[in-house]
Amino acid sequence: MSIVLIAVLIAGVFLWLERQVPPEARESSPEENSQTNPRAPDLAVTVIAEGLEISQDQHTVTFQSRFGPVEWIKPYTDHENVRLIQAGKKRLLIFAPAFVADCLETLEEIGHRYKKLAIDSGAERFELVPSLNAQPEWVSAICSMVQSEMEPV
């Protein structure tokens, strides 16, 4: 039985992820796509899924960080989890590339509340991949990114 990878995003990660998509695969510039192209996050996550050798039918993109009654970008993570379970995909692996450090949204909301919702909805397995946190490779990479953007003083 396979596991469905769910990539949880927040709106602010669109631009970075889309820049990972080769220019020839884009419908327009990253700046235009980040807010106007509903396919932008799907294209970007495809790059991640391909790197992990995960087929298209084994991953999806959902959105997190909605607050209050305001309409947010869909599909919502909690709603999509239930939909997938009802469709027979009962083993879910949640990956949140928008969060580089675990926080209340990842640990409490996704890791506890959404896990309980998934199990109560019939999931056999629900796992949350830990964020990068203070992994040495991540710290080194972020330092390199910052240094490459710094102007000499």
Side-chain angles (χ1 to χ4, degrees):
M1 182 177 292
S2 58
I3 294 178
V4 174
L5 176 73
I6 300 173
V8 180
L9 301 178
I10 55 176
V13 81
F14 282 178
L15 189 58
W16 180 86
L17 277 175
E18 186 161 74
R19 285 193 173 130
Q20 308 313 303
V21 176
E24 61 276 6
R26 297 182 191 145
E27 293 179 1
S28 57
S29 73
E31 290 75 13
E32 293 169 330
N33 279 347
S34 66
Q35 294 301 320
T36 60
N37 183 350
R39 291 190 56 229
D42 295 320
L43 289 171
V45 171
T46 296
V47 172
I48 294 169
E50 285 174 357
L52 295 170
E53 298 181 0
I54 298 171
S55 65
Q56 269 191 315
D57 65 329
Q58 290 303 112
H59 72 85
T60 190
V61 175
T62 64
F63 295 91
Q64 193 61 18
S65 300
R66 71 180 192 262
F67 182 75
V70 176
E71 187 75 13
W72 190 241
I73 304 166
K74 293 180 181 177
Y76 300 145
T77 301
D78 52 345
H79 296 179
E80 185 67 2
N81 291 349
V82 172
R83 187 194 70 73
L84 288 167
I85 293 163
Q86 290 171 345
K89 298 185 182 214
K90 303 207 180 254
R91 295 173 48 155
L92 305 178
L93 179 64
I94 311 298
F95 167 60
F99 295 94
V100 296
D102 288 314
C103 60
L104 286 176
E105 259 186 285
T106 55
L107 296 174
E108 197 280 325
E109 189 171 4
I110 298 171
H112 294 293
R113 274 195 270 163
Y114 290 2
K115 182 175 187 170
K116 180 179 182 337
L117 175 64
I119 299 301
D120 290 349
S121 298
E124 296 169 1
R125 184 171 175 193
F126 182 99
E127 298 294 329
L128 173 62
V129 175
S131 295
L132 296 169
N133 298 307
Q135 292 292 322
E137 298 85 359
W138 166 241
V139 173
S140 177
I142 195 69
C143 287
S144 293
M145 287 186 276
V146 170
Q147 287 173 343
S148 72
E149 295 297 322
M150 291 174 62
E151 294 182 21
V153 232

